[in-house]
Amino acid sequence: MGKDQILVRVRDLHKVFHRGSERIDVLQGLNLEVPRGDFLAFMGPSGSGKTTLLNLIAGLDRPTQGAIDVDGQRIDQMSEADLARWRARHTGFVFQLYNLLPVLTAERNVELPLLLTPLSRAERKRHVQTALSVVGLADRAQHYPRQLSGGQEQRVAIARAIVADPTLLLCDEPTGDLDRKSEDEILDLLQALHREYGKTVLMVTHDPHAAARAQRILYLNKGTLSAEPIE
Amino acid sequence: MRFWPLLWSSLWRKKVRTTFTLLSILVAFLLYGYLAAVNKGFSLGINTGADRLFLRHKVSLSILLPESYLGRIGATPGVVDVVHATWFAGIYQEPKNIFPQLPVDPERYLRLYPEFLLPEDQKQAWFADRTGAVAGRTLVEKFGWRIGDRIPLVSPWRKQDGTSTWEFTLRGIYDGAAEATDTRQFLFHYDYFEEARMFGKGMVGWYIIRIHDPKRAAEMAQRLDSNFANSFHETKTMTEKALVQGFARQIGDIGTIIGAILTAVFFTILLVAGNTMMQSVRERTAELAVLKTIGFSNHLVLTLVLTESLLLAGLGGVVGLGLAYWAIERGDPTGGVLPVFFFPPNDIVLGGVIMVALGLATGILPALQAMRLRVVDAIRRA
Ligand SMILES: Nc1ncnc2c1ncn2[C@@H]1O[C@H](COP(=O)(O)OP(=O)(O)OP(=O)(O)O)[C@@H](O)[C@H]1O
Ligand SMILES: [Mg+2]
């Protein structure tokens, strides 16, 4: 059989926003193919549509036009309920901010995606411990987000994103709010997830230093992607 | 339930706010439960004794009527049975021990009040003992009486020997057939009372009358009163229900007052709890977006928020009703004026219904808001 080597296939993607009477054409016929096991960074000026693109691939938003195929499934055609199920099964998402629920311990935060699976309590616990040790925070399981540093919070967020073993790991400026040292830790971690665990990682970033860690960089400009930064 | 830790932690997101909200819900339900018992106490008789009429002196309950009316009442067409009773107004040990003590014709009285349940042997023992008495379960438990005990009562009714202490032997303990039955009465032989009293001989307090057709109570009352119209002792007849309600009306229409208080209380609680839920959902817009990103469906998010508000109402409500129950068990706040004081089961059930309604009413808007929240908008706003 052999699985399709292209994991994400985006065709002629358009996204239009309306703000009052103003029409914003953010994505204009964008095409993209992401092979399985890729580590891809998206760069581009602010407002170029990086977040918009990532949200569309993560099934958080719907395209105005075009097709998004992930692992053989047309997510742009799914119902709202199916899409939620699909996200639970196939995506792990890391935001720049506001990732963790402040009322839950690190462990409970990481457990959240597993609540949507049929796993037993003991199995969930085991998966959570594994994910936390992958990000090097096994000893912080019982800590609340406010008791963690920004870098640690983000590592917990990554643990949560990978705990259900998703097909895709999506990160929107995961290091945008961190100091250099924490940033490096996060980037090391993403790199390790890519190299050692074979994860497919899509990362949006402003920072060339961060983008350099990826396997390849694509630039978003005027609604389409290119391999070179175009002015 | 796997979502329990998430629900519980979310509920306590702002500890102080949740505590205050819970306390106000608790107080509302405590008030609700307690007032339900008070209301029941005042409205006793509304559901019982519908076929009994109460005949008293036209001017006042405290003016006596001739005992000779018994025959005339009994002979009135439509009357099935009749008994008289008199207010003895005795004091047991201390003036604060108030309970109805009535010299009655034992057999007739028990016929009129079949809801007074007395074992056959005790009944016979009472009938056979001229100075014997029976008392209701509540009263007996309150004073720790036992069958055979000598019970002295000091009454304004002086005895012929000049003393005012009457002694009775407890021959029986009656139970109420229903929770609303008055089990605080102390009953003894009218014959003994009549023979021994110094004054007022041949006079009794009031008559209890059973009629053939309760639907014609008003007509019967009129017919009975016309029997005695223009006599020296004119009468006024009413249903027992009207009598008890009349008592209550002297203090105001208790039911309406209680209803108004509770409406105000629950309206306030609706706003308080509703506001708590609204704020709590608004504060966690970003968190709800994260849950949806993870794959929590819109329905699941709706259910979680709604469950949280049900939990809030349920927690406050159950503890409030529990405290009400406890307070009611500790006894009647009037120290015995109310004939019964208990938490009516109907009102417990209604309390549960109110809890659920409160939870749904306060939770539905925030829950819908949470359900409709779109991740991309929430993240941009945050
Ligand atoms: N829901 C929306 N409604 C209206 N306009 C929107 C919406 N989402 C995005 N936009 C607009 O679309 C454009 C692209 O936004 P997007 O957030 O994707 O940019 P970005 O590349 O991620 O920028 P940044 O680097 O600042 O995060 C912007 O002009 C933005 O204002
Ligand atoms: Mg962005």
Side-chain angles (χ1 to χ4, degrees):
Chain A
M1 299 238 298
K3 276 195 178 173
D4 189 349
Q5 276 314 295
I6 303 301
L7 184 61
V8 180
R9 195 167 291 182
V10 176
R11 291 248 170 75
D12 190 31
L13 188 66
H14 289 257
K15 182 67 186 179
V16 180
F17 288 112
H18 294 275
R19 202 160 21 201
S21 58
E22 194 188 352
R23 174 192 159 107
I24 310 163
D25 281 277
V26 181
L27 304 180
Q28 308 172 40
L30 179 147
N31 292 294
L32 169 68
E33 287 191 348
V34 182
R36 209 175 284 280
D38 201 1
F39 182 177
L40 178 57
F42 295 111
M43 293 194 73
S46 181
S48 56
K50 304 182 294 294
T51 296
T52 303
L53 175 60
L54 205 65
N55 287 345
L56 286 168
I57 296 172
L60 294 173
D61 203 356
R62 299 202 174 256
T64 309
Q65 190 194 309
I68 304 170
D69 182 310
V70 181
D71 210 5
Q73 283 183 289
R74 282 287 296 271
I75 65 169
D76 54 295
Q77 292 177 339
M78 285 182 187
S79 73
E80 208 54 51
D82 285 343
L83 203 53
R85 250 191 304 278
W86 177 83
R87 283 200 300 271
R89 176 68 200 86
H90 293 284
T91 70
F93 208 106
V94 180
F95 297 103
Q96 179 177 350
L97 291 170
Y98 315 113
N99 270 300
L100 302 184
L101 271 57
V103 295
L104 297 181
T105 58
E107 185 180 60
R108 292 282 187 205
N109 263 290
V110 175
E111 189 192 16
L112 286 171
L114 300 180
L115 296 179
L116 304 173
T117 68
L119 292 181
S120 75
R121 199 169 160 165
E123 290 169 318
R124 295 202 300 269
K125 182 115 187 156
R126 220 182 49 235
H127 280 78
V128 168
Q129 272 165 355
T130 308
L132 278 173
S133 51
V134 167
V135 302
L137 287 176
D139 55 336
R140 299 297 161 97
Q142 301 305 325
H143 288 225
Y144 284 89
R146 67 182 129 72
Q147 299 167 321
L148 299 172
S149 73
Q152 289 171 331
E153 276 195 59
Q154 210 57 323
R155 274 147 70 194
V156 174
I158 292 171
R160 187 180 61 201
I162 59 169
V163 73
D165 192 24
T167 315
L168 270 178
L169 180 57
L170 305 120
C171 312
D172 193 352
E173 303 197 34
T175 59
D177 205 44
L178 300 177
D179 58 48
R180 189 32 73 80
K181 181 171 164 292
S182 305
E183 176 179 355
D184 280 333
E185 282 170 10
I186 296 298
L187 292 168
D188 289 346
L189 184 54
L190 291 176
Q191 224 164 12
L193 287 170
H194 166 241
R195 287 196 186 136
E196 289 159 37
Y197 298 87
K199 290 279 158 213
T200 308
V201 183
L202 304 186
M203 176 175 76
V204 163
T205 181
H206 264 122
D207 180 1
H209 170 81
R213 300 290 202 102
Q215 204 168 26
R216 40 184 201 130
I217 305 175
L218 289 174
Y219 298 87
L220 213 102
N221 209 343
K222 305 231 167 62
T224 54
L225 285 169
S226 64
E228 300 298 327
I230 315 163
E231 284 316 305
Chain B
M1 195 227 184
R2 53 175 60 203
F3 294 105
W4 179 253
L6 174 61
L7 272 171
W8 188 249
S9 317
S10 301
L11 183 64
W12 291 100
R13 139 181 330 267
K14 292 264 162 73
K15 289 198 179 55
V16 176
R17 184 177 63 199
T18 303
T19 306
F20 280 142
T21 307
L22 271 178
L23 278 178
S24 34
I25 294 173
L26 184 156
V27 168
F29 278 91
L30 172 59
L31 208 59
Y32 161 83
Y34 202 73
L35 290 179
V38 170
N39 193 27
K40 187 72 179 178
F42 275 109
S43 65
L44 165 76
I46 285 187
N47 301 318
T48 61
D51 60 344
R52 285 188 296 242
L53 295 181
F54 181 89
L55 181 146
R56 64 158 167 87
H57 195 281
K58 188 174 184 180
V59 176
S60 162
L61 184 58
S62 56
I63 302 178
L64 301 178
L65 293 169
E67 188 193 340
S68 61
Y69 279 16
L70 188 75
R72 289 176 65 186
I73 295 169
T76 308
V79 169
V80 177
D81 211 344
V82 57
V83 70
H84 60 69
T86 307
W87 197 249
F88 188 65
I91 290 167
Y92 175 68
Q93 292 175 337
E94 287 180 76
K96 74 173 176 67
N97 294 333
I98 306 164
F99 51 88
Q101 306 136 9
L102 308 172
V104 297
D105 175 333
E107 286 185 56
R108 277 178 181 266
Y109 198 81
L110 291 181
R111 275 205 317 264
L112 262 296
Y113 288 93
E115 67 264 39
F116 287 20
L117 307 176
L118 192 59
E120 191 56 35
D121 54 329
Q122 297 182 12
K123 202 187 276 185
Q124 295 308 327
W126 181 36
F127 292 170
D129 180 1
R130 265 175 85 71
T131 62
V134 294
R137 180 72 62 191
T138 310
L139 202 57
V140 170
E141 280 174 1
K142 182 169 178 193
F143 296 118
W145 292 337
R146 298 234 182 97
I147 289 184
D149 278 2
R150 310 277 300 162
I151 296 160
L153 298 176
V154 178
S155 169
W157 292 98
R158 200 77 69 70
K159 289 206 281 194
Q160 275 175 346
D161 61 10
T163 63
S164 50
T165 302
W166 298 66
E167 223 175 27
F168 303 96
T169 311
L170 190 67
R171 291 298 176 197
I173 299 165
Y174 74 83
D175 287 290
E179 185 124 36
T181 306
D182 182 1
T183 52
R184 306 178 42 86
Q185 295 189 7
F186 184 87
L187 306 166
F188 52 92
H189 288 260
Y190 174 77
D191 289 350
Y192 167 52
F193 171 68
E194 169 67 0
E195 188 185 284
R197 64 177 158 173
M198 188 184 225
F199 54 87
K201 281 190 186 292
M203 301 298 279
V204 298
W206 60 85
Y207 288 90
I208 313 291
I209 302 155
R210 161 157 304 123
I211 55 175
H212 185 68
D213 183 1
K215 285 200 287 291
R216 294 168 61 196
E219 187 189 327
M220 281 302 296
Q222 221 169 15
R223 185 184 297 172
L224 285 161
D225 289 341
S226 67
N227 269 350
F228 308 108
N230 303 317
S231 77
F232 187 63
H233 297 283
E234 291 195 62
T235 61
K236 176 165 172 161
T237 306
M238 60 193 103
T239 57
E240 275 196 344
K241 173 178 157 177
L243 173 77
V244 179
Q245 282 173 333
F247 277 137
R249 226 170 268 127
Q250 290 171 3
I251 317 170
D253 189 342
I254 298 293
T256 308
I257 294 172
I258 289 177
I261 293 174
L262 290 178
T263 306
V265 165
F266 278 107
F267 185 68
T268 312
I269 289 310
L270 199 65
L271 298 184
V272 170
N275 185 51
T276 298
M277 283 307 297
M278 273 299 206
Q279 276 189 19
S280 150
V281 165
R282 206 174 308 130
E283 280 162 12
R284 67 183 121 144
T285 304
E287 292 170 40
L288 291 169
V290 167
L291 290 181
K292 290 193 178 188
T293 303
I294 287 171
F296 282 53
S297 69
N298 291 338
H299 271 106
L300 180 54
V301 169
L302 173 101
T303 310
L304 287 174
V305 174
L306 213 49
T307 310
E308 193 178 317
S309 73
L310 282 167
L311 201 61
L312 189 70
L315 212 60
V318 166
V319 177
L321 289 186
L323 283 177
Y325 192 86
W326 173 79
I328 291 165
E329 287 292 296
R330 294 195 52 212
D332 176 1
T334 63
V337 172
L338 294 177
V340 292
F341 196 65
F342 65 97
F343 203 154
N346 284 348
D347 290 311
I348 299 181
V349 172
L350 182 61
V353 172
I354 294 176
M355 248 178 259
V356 174
L358 182 70
L360 291 177
T362 54
I364 192 67
L365 279 182
L368 284 173
Q369 206 181 348
M371 183 183 98
R372 293 198 191 113
L373 181 81
R374 281 167 39 88
V375 174
V376 281
D377 298 336
I379 298 299
R380 276 168 57 82
R381 252 186 282 142

